[in-house]
Amino acid sequence: MFASFFKNKKWAFWAYSGIFFLIAINWYQTTLNVRINEWYRAFYDICQNIDRHTLNDFYTQMKVFLWIAMPYVVSAISERYAARIWTFKWREAMTFSYFSYWKKVGKDIEGSSQRIQEDIFRFSRTIEEMGTRVLSAAMTLFAFIPVLWGLSSNVPFEFLKKIPGSLVWIALAISIGGLIISWLVGWYLPRLEYNNQKVEAAFRKELVFAEEDKINYASEEKILSLFDKIKYNYFKLYLHYCYFDMWFNSFSQFLMIVPYLIMGPGLFTKVITLGVMVQVSNAFNQVRGSFSIFMNNWTTITELRSIHMRLKEFEKNIDYKG
């Protein structure tokens, strides 16, 4: 899965130049996010103290926002385009690397054609989604941890003020706790996703054979039997997702108010301004969201783990040495 792209001289330029470009553009986007975070403080302080400012000050802040936001839009479009091209090249490398081994195999594993075509496609697409998110999260942490660390001095609670970078540690503790619980609650999901791919492959295979021979394939009884297996597996998966979604959505709603619970008392006692509270809330959510990148994308992670299971089985079957 990885050696065919990163260890192959034919694809080395695409593999490493793509990573370099994506890191660079993500870093640029992160610097813009930091500037937006600073803008929040200035803008909301103006809104809180309108008697000290004019309408021109308000419009000036609107212009500052646009000067930050427009380059972000351009960079975001460029980043998505580059990521799509990069992951497609990865798919191309995997496909033809597997293909050369697969042609020499006498006995195929279940759904081998699907694993070469669809599973590799889904793997590259999921890597595109998760890879860019993880990279963005890493850059966000690198840029925003110092910001949130400095803002921790504004915490209105004395016992938290004594802890350097208290807001960072709170964000980290919440994220680790949420990840551990999510891992336990979603323990069965990857295997259920894997089972679904097996029954879907069997159903699709029968339909493909029926395209050439409808007399001997795709009888009503056979199709009903295969679809019943699909229905059973999906309903079982949906049931397991119910309690995972209950946990995840409840936890997400609680996280929205955490920075306000911490900083709110300081606003009402006039220890901090509205701008400081909004800046802290934004920085806290940036750091906490980056720490929680895997928990926030658990469905995608589950799908990726199930695809990885199928491709590893395929590699063993074709005796892939990459």
Side-chain angles (χ1 to χ4, degrees), residues 59-243:
Y59 287 133
T60 298
Q61 288 302 314
M62 295 294 100
K63 292 177 183 177
V64 170
F65 176 82
L66 290 175
W67 276 109
I68 301 172
M70 290 301 101
Y72 187 92
V73 171
V74 174
S75 65
I77 295 170
S78 302
E79 187 258 352
R80 294 305 298 162
Y81 178 76
R84 286 165 181 155
I85 294 295
W86 186 71
T87 52
F88 188 88
K89 288 295 182 181
W90 192 347
R91 176 190 177 185
E92 186 178 356
M94 286 179 62
T95 299
F96 288 99
S97 181
Y98 282 175
F99 184 76
S100 62
Y101 283 84
W102 177 64
K103 289 284 285 184
K104 302 173 185 177
V105 174
K107 185 177 181 181
D108 276 338
I109 194 173
E110 163 269 323
S112 60
S113 58
Q114 180 193 3
R115 301 191 193 211
I116 290 178
Q117 188 268 324
E118 184 177 346
D119 285 351
I120 292 178
F121 163 69
R122 292 172 64 226
F123 176 80
S124 62
R125 184 189 63 187
T126 309
I127 285 292
E128 175 195 330
E129 294 176 6
M130 279 307 303
T132 53
R133 292 174 190 173
V134 170
L135 180 59
S136 177
M139 294 296 175
T140 298
L141 286 175
F142 187 77
F144 272 94
I145 283 180
V147 174
L148 190 61
W149 193 282
L151 290 171
S152 297
S153 61
N154 295 300
V155 173
F157 300 103
E158 288 300 324
F159 72 96
L160 288 177
K161 277 188 175 181
K162 296 178 181 178
I163 304 173
S166 58
L167 290 173
V168 175
W169 298 116
I170 291 172
L172 178 61
I174 290 173
S175 302
I176 292 176
L179 178 62
I180 293 172
I181 296 174
S182 295
W183 186 276
L184 295 174
V185 174
W187 184 268
Y188 293 106
L189 295 178
R191 176 55 61 177
L192 292 171
E193 288 279 7
Y194 170 85
N195 291 339
N196 277 345
Q197 289 303 311
K198 291 184 68 174
V199 294
E200 288 280 16
F203 184 66
R204 185 186 300 105
K205 184 177 181 180
E206 188 71 15
L207 294 176
V208 170
F209 284 156
E211 289 180 1
E212 303 295 332
D213 186 359
K214 290 185 174 64
I215 296 176
N216 295 312
Y217 293 97
S219 65
E220 187 173 346
E221 294 79 10
K222 180 70 171 178
I223 291 297
L224 182 62
S225 173
L226 290 172
F227 197 81
D228 280 343
K229 292 179 181 178
I230 292 176
K231 181 166 62 175
Y232 172 79
N233 276 277
Y234 270 104
F235 283 10
K236 188 176 182 181
L237 177 66
Y238 296 156
L239 182 62
H240 280 268
Y241 263 119
C242 276
Y243 59 76

Side-chain angles (χ1 to χ4, degrees), residues 19-70:
I19 287 179
F20 177 80
F21 178 79
L22 290 172
I23 289 174
I25 202 165
N26 268 276
W27 175 246
Y28 177 65
Q29 289 177 328
T30 303
T31 61
L32 295 177
N33 277 329
V34 172
R35 290 175 61 189
I36 286 289
N37 180 261
E38 294 169 351
W39 176 86
Y40 278 134
R41 182 169 187 165
F43 177 72
Y44 281 99
D45 279 347
I46 287 175
C47 292
Q48 186 182 21
N49 300 288
I50 56 175
D51 54 322
R52 302 178 188 173
H53 298 277
T54 66
L55 189 58
N56 285 334
D57 294 331
F58 176 84
Y59 287 133
T60 298
Q61 288 302 314
M62 295 294 100
K63 292 177 183 177
V64 170
F65 176 82
L66 290 175
W67 276 109
I68 301 172
M70 290 301 101

Side-chain angles (χ1 to χ4, degrees), residues 1 98 310-320:
M1 275 171 276
Y98 282 175
R310 288 177 57 79
L311 290 178
K312 286 302 291 184
E313 281 188 345
F314 182 66
E315 288 184 358
K316 290 179 181 178
N317 183 70
I318 63 176
D319 195 27
Y320 179 65

